[in-house]
């Protein structure tokens, strides 16, 4: 088991290194320079040279790369050009916000998806089943950003059920803990719901088809034949097995979710990673772009590793293979 | 808060009741939910704003509009403050840290007399030592400050006594006062702890050691969420500011930003889109505050390309663009067709010119005279077998410019000119612009009060500056140099007129229009006077009318 | 055959959109970039009918009402009446002017016809979806086949690369790439294709590995068929079924993906219409002109639904194992 983890981590590190190297050269070759070199018309060429020197942008690219690599190996990701802070700090500030949003959305996605999927499977062939499947298809096909726009316009602006944006209310920091938590949840609700709902269609199908397949297996028939209570058969024998493919999917959910959050974060002004990276790309904030590539890459690698381990823990067949 | 904020819909109230019930259960303390703690009786203005501020130290921070606005109009004092009263003559300067100033006979020395009663927020007096030390920071090569150019003719700042500072100049020129007072005065006793050489490595240190002498201090700052100003009780004018707190909510998304104002949860939005103006005007609780900024929108022709080398062709293209339609359509009328880089309400504006009219017929004739006719009948003009076809670029961030791009393409098609459009991110666009590797581009530039036009028109600005179209004309260079050297601005007025007339005639740029900025505010927020220097120019005089 | 309600429901919708996309230039009532009068014709609601008055040099004005007078034309536009002499108007006829415009789904801010843009947008969206999936399938099958049949070392290397690519949050990379290098539609297809192939190649590999152990493949080998022949004649055709289903479903995903990119301003560039940038255009006018963003959104959702229906239907039809 340990060897399996180490091998996976080794491969992941190598891959991450390659991705980072490619990103480094890509963003430096691309047209444009960090924004603050151009932020006012009175800045002279001489001054630009000085600023370039300051950020080490005057050296040949190979040399810049080696220097960057050296400092990264020492754990230094460089200072963000626009945020005036170490790039890594900027991202660490943002990461919890994105993780919070992603976790909440994954929760919504799976809670809603499982409930609907299992309901459909339990009543397979009925009208309910059919309508749930139509619904999942619809959810699967609606663009998330459109749902978000509609939700803001109706639920936040017109009816004021939810705050329009951001993570907290002004002055929330001074509130007692419980009230602060409620304030945060109130802000979190809409983006998490939108993100979760827009993605739960697939879970519905997974859950429904998985459960139906398992219910047809011999050992379930045997369990029924033994005279076990149907509920017990469903919850103890069928469900865990039906959920195995979902666990695997769970691991892959992270990168997909990270993609999904960019749009949602931009629309909801959520101060997360996606927003920061969006801005960093526009302003050519090289250190932030590189650090975020590394960070999201690591998160994703760890996420899929975790999913595999979880999978191995649930499904003994995988454990023996490994 | 306006009364509408309380006017919530049932579900919101329901949610609040639920929270209240939970809280009562949890803490046993019935408390009205939603009210901010400890702010009763305080007057808080909420601004719904698009971006975060960048930093608190002018010399090391990225200069964005809001950062500058706060540094100059909230946190720190300038020696004297330039006003936006340039309609009838050169702008005046209002005393701030300095009560008065005077030039020596030869204009090589400029003496400032500081107010004796100004203190930093930690109680330490503000003195001429701060002024001198700030100037040393301005010109220190390791800082390096973005506006260092402004100080290049200042040789020394002398401390005569704690309340008298003298600026020494190497020559006399028009913008001496502007150059001397640009840059806010920084706290030597607090920030001098770190030598200038190390400022770049410690950019965040300053926000943790913030000392101010302006009307407001920074109460709190949650990055990308909000920043809160609180009145500085030690501000020298005890009658100002007139509000206790100003909260800037950071909301990048345009619709949400406006929604906050319309739902009564904010008092001001700095800039709204023209299409929303009618809705603001129709709202009984809101008002529209338009003003003309010192920004001009133009289409620059790359005159180093043979296609645009001929001024008749450039004039013809200008006349083929229906600029009034663009103004009416994209800007909903909140803009004026222009022919000058100066704002139309500026004293140096040449009122005797007329913009090139929209006249596709005359444009076609002029193009035909230059040899451009549709000889093969494909609807596109050609000369020597070459079609009149070029690429028009602009930056993708600006929806207004993208819209203008789409309309100009359509207008030029009517006279048989084929335009290929392309949008690039501003940052990426600068590369071809600076390398003069483009056909034509839609851009905007801002003028500062020195009325310096050299940075986009002078021959020297082709290699070092914003003369993207590579326009070079000795006559233009001569006029620009004359305006820069003339010490008395009013005496330079005829030269400015000549310069604008020449620019109009030569048409190296097609001026599109000057826009009106539309600031929207709630009606109970008074004395807001957004102007071309900043929407937040007179932040200290903003007043919130009591409601209920 | 009963299960193929899915195909029967999705097929016609998809076929309709495909036809619309293919025949866009003939179906669209007007030129999708035609801006006759972006002041009087801006944000007209659905079913607006306007008279189109033509002046010299290709200048047009849209009018609520025109009336032929003795010496010319009376035009009511923006609530004002203007008289034009006979020689200024080019399309005069006895009743007024010869041209008029019927904006079935309304107009956008440039007075462009939404219906025409929607139809041309179908072309762009479907083209991007289909071509990028075709590209992804091509690469995916090649890589998957190499991994499955090219020996264990190649397999490990390729699959680790695929694993890696699968873990990249693509939208970041796409935003970066389209922001850094300005893009046209073909570039977009290339980029989107690149994001989708790892998934296809993983699927291909899994299918081929299963097929390799099946009796009929062993039999073919035993009969002395060459490796290429076994692959092309016996294995690939059998792997195509699940691949077709997967590829079909992917088209929907990529169309949505392109729409999100366009919505963020990084996809198809104006004045070309794509459903994504039409929604972006309409978003800022959601309160004034709901029709600008709503119709492309409906088209987008319908298309993706029909693609998913067809994908599911194909799966049921071709693959008897699933129910």
């Amino acid at each position: 088991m340990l060897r399996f983890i180490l091998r996976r981590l080794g491969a992941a590190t190598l891959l991450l290194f390659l991705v980072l190297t490619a990103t480094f050269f890509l963003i430096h070759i691309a047209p444009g320079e960090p924004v603050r070199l151009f932020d006012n018309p009175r800045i002279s060429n001489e001054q630009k040279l000085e600023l370039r020197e300051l950020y080490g942008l005057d050296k040949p690219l190979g040399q810049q790369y080696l220097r960057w690599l050296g400092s990264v190996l020492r754990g230094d990701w460089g200072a963000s050009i626009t945020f005036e802070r170490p790039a890594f700090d900027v991202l660490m500030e943002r990461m919890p916000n994105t993780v919070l949003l992603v976790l909440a959305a994954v929760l919504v996605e799976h809670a809603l998806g499982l409930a609907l999927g299992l309901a459909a499977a339990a009543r397979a062939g009925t009208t309910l089943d059919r309508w749930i499947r139509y619904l999942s298809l619809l959810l699967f096909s609606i663009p998330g950003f459109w749902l978000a726009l509609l939700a803001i316009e109706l639920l936040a602006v017109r009816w004021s059920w939810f705050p329009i944006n951001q993570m907290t209310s002004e002055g929330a920091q001074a509130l007692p803990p419980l009230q602060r938590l409620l304030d945060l949840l109130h802000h979190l609700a809409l983006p998490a719901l939108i993100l979760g709902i827009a993605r739960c269609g697939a879970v519905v199908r997974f859950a429904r088809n998985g459960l139906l397949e398992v219910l047809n297996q011999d050992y379930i028939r045997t369990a029924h034949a033994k005279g076990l209570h149907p509920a017990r058969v469903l919850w103890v024998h069928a469900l865990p097995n039906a959920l195995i493919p979902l666990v695997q999917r769970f691991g892959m959910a992270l990168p997909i979710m990270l993609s999904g959050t960019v749009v949602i974060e931009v629309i909801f002004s959520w101060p997360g990673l996606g927003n920061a990276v969006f801005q960093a790309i526009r302003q050519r904030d090289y250190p932030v772009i590189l650090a975020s590539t590394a960070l999201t890459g690591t998160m994703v690698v760890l996420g899929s590793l975790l999913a595999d381990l979880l999978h191995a823990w649930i499904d003994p067949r995988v454990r023996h293979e490994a | 808060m306006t009364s509408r904020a309380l006017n919530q819909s049932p579900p919101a109230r329901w949610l609040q009741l639920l929270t209240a019930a939970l809280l009562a259960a949890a803490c046993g303390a019935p408390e009205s939910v939603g009210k901010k703690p400890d702010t009763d009786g305080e007057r808080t203005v909420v601004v719904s704003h698009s971006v975060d501020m960048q930093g608190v130290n002018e010399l090391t921070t990225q200069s964005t509009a809001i950062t500058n606005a706060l540094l100059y109009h909230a946190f720190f004092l300038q020696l004297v403050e330039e006003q936006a009263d340039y309609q009838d003559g050169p702008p005046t300067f209002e005393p701030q840290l300095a009560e008065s100033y005077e030039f020596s006979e030869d204009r090589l020395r400029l003496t400032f007399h500081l107010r004796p009663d100004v203190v930093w927020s930690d109680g330490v007096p503000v003195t001429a030592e701060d002024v001198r030390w700030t100037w040393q920071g301005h010109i220190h090569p390791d800082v390096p400050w973005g506006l260092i150019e402004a100080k290049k003719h200042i040789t020394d700042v002398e401390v005569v006594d704690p309340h008298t500072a003298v600026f020494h100049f190497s020559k006399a020129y028009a913008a001496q006062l502007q150059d001397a007072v640009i840059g806010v005065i920084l706290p030597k006793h607090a920030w001098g702890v770190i030598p200038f050489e190390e400022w770049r490595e410690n950019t965040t240190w300053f926000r943790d050691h913030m000392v101010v002498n302006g009307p407001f201090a920074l109460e709190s700052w949650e990055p990308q969420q909000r920043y809160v100003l609180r009145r500085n009780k030690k501000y020298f004018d005890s009658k100002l500011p007139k509000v206790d707190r100003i909260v800037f909510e950071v909301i990048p998304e345009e619709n949400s930003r406006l929604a906050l104002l319309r739902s009564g949860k904010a008092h001001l939005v700095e800039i709204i889109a023209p299409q929303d103006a009618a809705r603001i005007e129709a709202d009984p609780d809101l008002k529209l505050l338009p003003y003309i900024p010192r920004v001009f929108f133009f289409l620059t022709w790359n005159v180093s390309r043979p296609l645009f080398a001929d001024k008749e062709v450039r004039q013809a293209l200008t006349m083929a663009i229906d600029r009034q339609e663009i103004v009416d359509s994209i800007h909903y009328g909140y803009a004026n067709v222009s022919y000058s880089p100066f704002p139309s309400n500026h004293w140096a504006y040449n009122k005797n010119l007329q913009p090139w009219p929209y006249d596709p017929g005359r444009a076609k004739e002029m193009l035909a005279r230059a040899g451009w006719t549709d000889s093969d009948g494909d609807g596109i003009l050609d000369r020597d077998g070459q079609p009149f076809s070029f690429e028009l670029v602009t930056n993708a961030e600006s929806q207004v410019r993208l819209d203008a791009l789409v309309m100009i393409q359509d207008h030029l098609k009517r006279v048989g000119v084929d335009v290929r459009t392309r949008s690039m991110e501003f940052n990426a666009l600068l590369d071809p612009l600076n390398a003069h590797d483009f056909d034509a581009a839609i851009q905007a530039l801002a003028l500062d009060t020195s009325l310096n036009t050299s940075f986009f028109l002078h021959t020297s600005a082709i290699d070092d500056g914003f003369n993207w179209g590579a326009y070079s004309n000795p006559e233009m260079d001569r006029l620009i140099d004359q305006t820069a050297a003339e010490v008395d601005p009013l005496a330079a007025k005829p030269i400015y007129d000549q310069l604008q007339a020449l620019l109009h005639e030569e048409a190296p740029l097609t001026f599109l229009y000057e826009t009106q900025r539309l600031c929207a505010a709630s009606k109970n927020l008074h004395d807001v006077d957004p102007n071309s220097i900043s929407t937040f120019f007179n932040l200290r005089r903003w007043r919130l009318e009591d409601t209920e | 055959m009963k299960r193929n309600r899915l195909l029967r429901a999705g097929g016609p919708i998809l076929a309709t959109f495909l036809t619309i996309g293919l025949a866009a230039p003939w179906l669209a009532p007007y030129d999708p970039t035609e801006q006759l009068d972006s002041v009087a014709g801006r944000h007209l609601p659905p079913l607006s009918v306007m008279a189109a008055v033509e002046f010299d040099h290709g200048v047009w004005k849209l009018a609520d009402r025109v009336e032929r007078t003795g010496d010319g034309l009376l035009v009511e536009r923006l609530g004002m009446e203007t008289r034009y002499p006979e020689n200024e108007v080019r399309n005069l006829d006895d009743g007024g002017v010869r041209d008029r415009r019927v904006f079935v789904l309304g107009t956008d801010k440039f007075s462009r016809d939404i219906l025409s843009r929607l139809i041309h947008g179908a072309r762009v969206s479907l083209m991007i979806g289909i071509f990028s999936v075709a590209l992804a399938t091509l690469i995916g099958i090649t890589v998957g086949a190499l991994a499955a049949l090219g020996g264990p070392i190649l397999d490990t290397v390729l699959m680790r690369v695929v694993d890696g690519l699968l873990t990249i949050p693509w939208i970041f990379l796409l935003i970066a790439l389209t922001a850094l290098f300005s893009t046209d539609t073909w570039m977009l297809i290339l980029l989107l294709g690149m994001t989708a192939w790892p998934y296809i190649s993983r699927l291909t590999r899994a299918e081929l590995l299963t097929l390799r152990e099946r009796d009929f493949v062993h039999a073919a080998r035993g009969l002395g068929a060459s490796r290429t022949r076994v692959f092309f004649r016996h294995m690939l055709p059998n792997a195509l079924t699940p691949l077709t289903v997967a590829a079909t479903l992917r088209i929907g995903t990529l169309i949505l993906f392109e729409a999100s990119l366009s919505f963020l301003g990084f996809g198809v560039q104006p004045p070309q219409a794509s459903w994504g940038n039409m929604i972006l255009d309409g978003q800022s006018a959601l309160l004034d002109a709901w029709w600008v963003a709503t119709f492309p959104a409906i088209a987008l959702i319908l298309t993706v639904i029909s693609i998913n229906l067809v994908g599911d239907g194909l799966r049921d039809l071709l693959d008897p194992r699933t129910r």
Side-chain angles (χ1 to χ4, degrees), chain C residues 114-170:
Chain C
I114 304 258
L115 178 63
S116 304
R117 292 183 68 71
L118 203 63
I119 290 172
H120 280 266
R123 193 187 180 89
V124 173
S125 290
L126 286 169
M127 186 170 89
I128 286 178
I130 292 172
F131 285 177
S132 53
V133 166
L135 180 72
T137 313
L138 210 65
I139 305 177
I141 290 183
T142 315
V143 173
L146 282 176
L149 310 171
I153 297 175
L154 194 58
D155 184 24
T156 313
V157 172
L158 286 178
M159 279 305 111
R160 286 290 83 81
V161 171
V162 164
D163 280 349
L165 291 174
L166 277 173
T167 55
I168 291 177
W170 279 99

Side-chain angles (χ1 to χ4, degrees), chain B residues 84-100:
Chain B
D85 53 357
Y86 47 65
Q87 284 73 12
D88 305 315
T92 59
F93 287 79
E94 190 183 282
Q96 273 204 325
L97 184 54
E99 288 175 313
S100 63

Side-chain angles (χ1 to χ4, degrees), chain A residues 2 27 36 45 66-67 73 95 136-137 218 251 253 277 297 318 320:
Chain A
L2 193 66
I27 58 178
R36 62 173 307 158
N45 274 359
L66 290 179
R67 226 167 84 169
L73 289 177
M95 194 169 74
S136 81
L137 192 65
D218 291 340
V277 177
V318 182
H320 293 308

Side-chain angles (χ1 to χ4, degrees), chain B residues 33 40 67 82 93 154 195 226 242 317 322 337 425 438 456 537:
Chain B
V33 188
D40 296 323
T67 310
E82 183 176 332
F93 287 79
I154 297 173
R226 65 180 58 81
K242 294 187 171 171
L317 291 171
D322 189 350
V337 173
E425 213 197 345
F438 68 100
F456 68 98
F537 183 75

Side-chain angles (χ1 to χ4, degrees), chain C residues 40 49-53 61-69 73-84 95-97 99:
Chain C
V49 181
M50 301 287 274
V53 187
K61 300 258 182 271
L62 289 173
D64 298 312
R65 194 175 63 85
V66 291
E67 196 183 309
R68 187 78 166 88
T69 55
L73 192 71
L74 178 73
V75 171
E76 190 189 323
R77 176 173 173 269
L78 295 169
M80 288 195 315
E81 292 191 344
T82 319
R83 283 169 197 281
Y84 293 98
V97 288
D99 299 270

Side-chain angles (χ1 to χ4, degrees), chain B residues 48-92:
Chain B
S48 177
H49 201 71
S50 56
V51 289
D52 202 356
M53 63 183 272
Q54 289 283 337
V56 299
N57 186 341
E58 188 193 359
L59 302 198
T60 55
T61 210
Q62 184 173 0
S63 86
T64 61
I66 187 62
T67 310
N68 273 346
L70 294 182
L71 294 177
Y72 278 79
H73 308 301
F75 300 142
F76 297 105
L77 296 175
Q78 279 177 281
L79 286 164
V80 291
E81 183 185 59
E82 183 176 332
Q83 305 296 300
D85 53 357
Y86 47 65
Q87 284 73 12
D88 305 315
T92 59

Side-chain angles (χ1 to χ4, degrees), chain B residues 238-514:
Chain B
S238 58
K239 290 192 283 299
L240 296 175
K242 294 187 171 171
V243 294
D244 299 295
R245 297 165 79 238
I246 300 183
V247 179
F248 287 84
E249 299 280 357
V250 180
I251 301 163
E253 216 281 315
E254 191 175 7
N255 284 340
S256 306
R257 198 157 62 235
L258 189 60
L260 209 63
L261 177 73
R262 289 175 48 224
S263 61
K265 293 182 187 116
H267 298 95
L268 183 124
V269 176
E270 186 186 15
I271 303 172
I272 64 158
Q275 76 225 25
D276 296 320
R279 199 169 306 120
I280 300 294
E281 302 238 57
D283 192 318
D285 294 331
L286 301 178
K287 59 186 172 187
L288 198 64
L289 306 164
Y291 64 93
I292 300 176
R294 288 178 297 201
V295 176
F296 55 101
F297 289 81
F298 59 93
L299 200 161
T300 174
W301 310 104
N302 187 350
V303 299
S304 65
R305 302 255 152 122
L307 210 50
F308 308 117
D310 185 355
K311 93 177 173 193
E312 299 258 312
V313 170
R314 300 195 296 261
Q315 289 171 0
L317 291 171
T318 306
M319 283 191 282
I321 299 170
D322 189 350
R323 293 175 286 174
Q324 189 59 46
E325 192 192 14
I326 300 179
V327 163
D328 289 340
S329 166
I330 301 175
H331 292 281
Y332 289 68
Y334 291 101
N336 319 308
V337 173
S338 67
Y339 53 79
S340 164
F342 302 131
S344 59
N345 59 355
H346 196 282
W347 64 272
Y349 179 77
N350 185 342
K351 295 186 173 65
N352 302 319
L353 299 172
Q354 284 295 322
W356 295 105
Y358 174 57
D359 192 339
R362 214 170 118 204
K364 264 183 171 167
E365 282 166 27
M366 287 171 76
L367 287 171
R369 272 208 300 280
W372 292 101
T373 50
D374 185 11
S375 64
D376 53 4
D378 63 350
I380 293 173
L381 302 180
D382 52 78
R383 185 172 71 182
D384 309 329
Q386 291 293 315
F388 200 132
S389 172
F390 67 92
E391 186 175 77
L392 182 58
V393 290
T394 194
N395 55 306
E397 292 91 343
S398 163
Q399 188 59 45
V400 172
R401 284 176 222 175
L402 285 177
D403 289 351
L405 189 74
V406 169
M407 293 189 72
I408 289 172
Q409 179 187 38
D410 190 62
H411 294 167
L412 290 179
K413 195 168 79 185
R414 296 175 193 164
V415 294
V417 173
D418 173 48
V419 179
R420 285 163 284 126
T421 59
R422 186 160 135 105
S423 67
M424 293 166 84
E425 213 197 345
F426 180 64
N427 219 323
L429 179 60
L430 279 169
D431 281 356
L433 288 183
N434 288 328
H436 316 292
D437 181 18
F438 68 100
D439 295 332
I442 300 175
Q443 273 304 319
L445 283 172
L447 277 186
D448 63 15
T449 44
S450 69
L451 296 183
N452 171 15
T453 50
S454 135
F455 70 100
F456 68 98
L457 283 179
H458 201 280
T459 306
S460 68
I462 297 178
D463 288 330
D464 185 0
F466 290 179
N467 189 346
W468 296 313
Y471 174 69
S472 173
N473 181 341
E475 174 66 7
M476 185 67 83
D477 293 350
R478 195 180 57 79
L479 290 172
I480 293 172
D481 293 340
Q482 273 183 11
T483 58
E486 180 56 66
V487 180
D488 176 12
L490 282 175
K493 170 75 169 133
I495 316 174
Y496 284 122
D497 282 350
Q498 263 181 23
L499 189 152
Q500 288 167 80
L502 182 66
L503 188 57
H504 176 67
E505 172 66 20
E506 283 275 303
L509 318 167
T510 289
F511 289 95
L512 296 172
Y513 41 77
E514 60 174 20

